[in-house]
Amino acid sequence: MERFAGKTESSHLPPLEVAPILESYNPKLARVSDDALIEPIYDDNGVVDIESTVELALKHVDPNYAWPRDRLDVHHFEWERQNYHPDKWGGDKTPTLFREIPGLKGYVPRQFHNFLHAVTAEPEVPGYDVMEQAVESHRIHKALFEAARQVYVADRRPQASLRGKWVNESDASYAMLSKRIEIFDQRIAEMSDELPLDEILMNNSTDKIGAIAKLLGRTVARDSINLLPKIYRHQKARSL
């Protein structure tokens, strides 16, 4: 089968011959007709399931199409922005914070970003309690990550932990590490059952804490989910 060349670096959307769903695309509305729109896929809490929604959208594009790589940006899977603005929630910023959670944003080719907005229906806003819980969970995870990171630094690189502090380093290293572990334990207590931390709780060693810092860093220390491998891998897999 003919492979479509990357001739669309400056194009807003993929050409019609590789994405027939765009046949009813209305430039003024920047989307396809209502009857052609794809409904996002949601999880049990009514939050957009990013992986499943991306896979569904990709099914409407020829697998031999090469998505342009000249422009990359971040797509918020909970859109439109104004639906989450504090003005719509009596000044409450919780919906805005929810929308900005890294796990609800994806790093994608700009053209794919445009394509998602063009062919997927606007997601329904989750219930306020769902958004509030997600924001609080992210806050706790981020606090735990920072506490775990500080324990790891205090244990492996005590000079970095003590930098700028007028203390006797020979006496302070252990005290600093103990304080970091104490803070980490406090964060663990806040976590409840949100993470499989049984092994860490049973053996609260600095090695284990370093492992949990690495685990949490994958979700809270990033700005968004990197969907580029998924999008480009899909192209290759379906071409075999």
Side-chain angles (χ1 to χ4, degrees), residues 66-220:
W67 292 94
R69 304 190 182 203
D70 61 323
R71 291 184 62 199
L72 306 172
D73 64 8
V74 174
H75 173 61
H76 289 73
F77 281 82
E78 297 291 342
W79 54 279
E80 294 280 346
R81 180 186 301 175
Q82 59 264 26
N83 294 336
Y84 301 84
H85 195 279
D87 289 348
K88 275 206 167 186
W89 298 86
D92 193 332
K93 295 181 180 179
T94 297
T96 296
L97 294 174
F98 166 76
R99 183 174 179 269
E100 294 296 335
I101 290 175
L104 300 179
K105 300 184 293 182
Y107 191 54
V108 299
R110 178 66 205 184
Q111 194 183 74
F112 184 73
H113 187 167
N114 296 335
F115 181 72
L116 285 173
H117 278 289
V119 304
T120 58
E122 182 178 316
E124 297 180 8
V125 179
Y128 181 83
D129 57 336
V130 170
M131 294 190 287
E132 185 177 44
Q133 183 176 358
V135 169
E136 178 63 9
S137 176
H138 178 66
R139 182 193 70 77
I140 294 174
H141 280 70
K142 192 170 183 178
L144 180 58
F145 164 71
E146 182 58 30
R149 187 189 67 81
Q150 290 188 16
V151 168
Y152 187 80
V153 170
D155 179 49
R156 301 300 174 89
R157 295 189 291 123
Q159 295 297 328
S161 295
L162 297 169
R163 189 179 295 123
K165 296 180 174 60
W166 294 93
V167 295
N168 185 323
E169 294 182 4
S170 62
D171 297 329
S173 295
Y174 179 77
M176 183 68 69
L177 178 59
S178 297
K179 182 61 178 178
R180 298 300 187 218
I181 291 177
E182 179 183 343
I183 293 173
F184 178 80
D185 287 339
Q186 292 172 355
R187 297 292 181 259
I188 284 284
E190 294 180 50
M191 291 301 296
S192 184
D193 298 323
E194 294 192 47
L195 281 179
L197 301 175
D198 290 347
E199 184 180 357
I200 293 175
L201 291 172
M202 291 172 61
N203 185 8
N204 196 353
S205 68
T206 53
D207 286 339
K208 296 293 184 181
I209 293 174
I212 195 61
K214 185 175 181 180
L215 172 65
L216 288 166
R218 295 171 186 168
T219 58
V220 303

Side-chain angles (χ1 to χ4, degrees), residues 24-42:
S24 64
Y25 179 75
N26 184 332
K28 292 183 179 180
L29 298 177
R31 63 179 179 83
V32 298
S33 60
D34 290 345
D35 60 340
L37 285 172
I38 302 169
E39 284 294 329
I41 298 177
Y42 302 93

Side-chain angles (χ1 to χ4, degrees), residues 2-11 13 15 65-68 111:
E2 179 185 359
R3 182 175 181 81
F4 295 98
K7 298 179 180 179
T8 56
E9 280 87 352
S10 61
S11 298
L13 292 166
Y65 178 61
W67 292 94
Q111 194 183 74

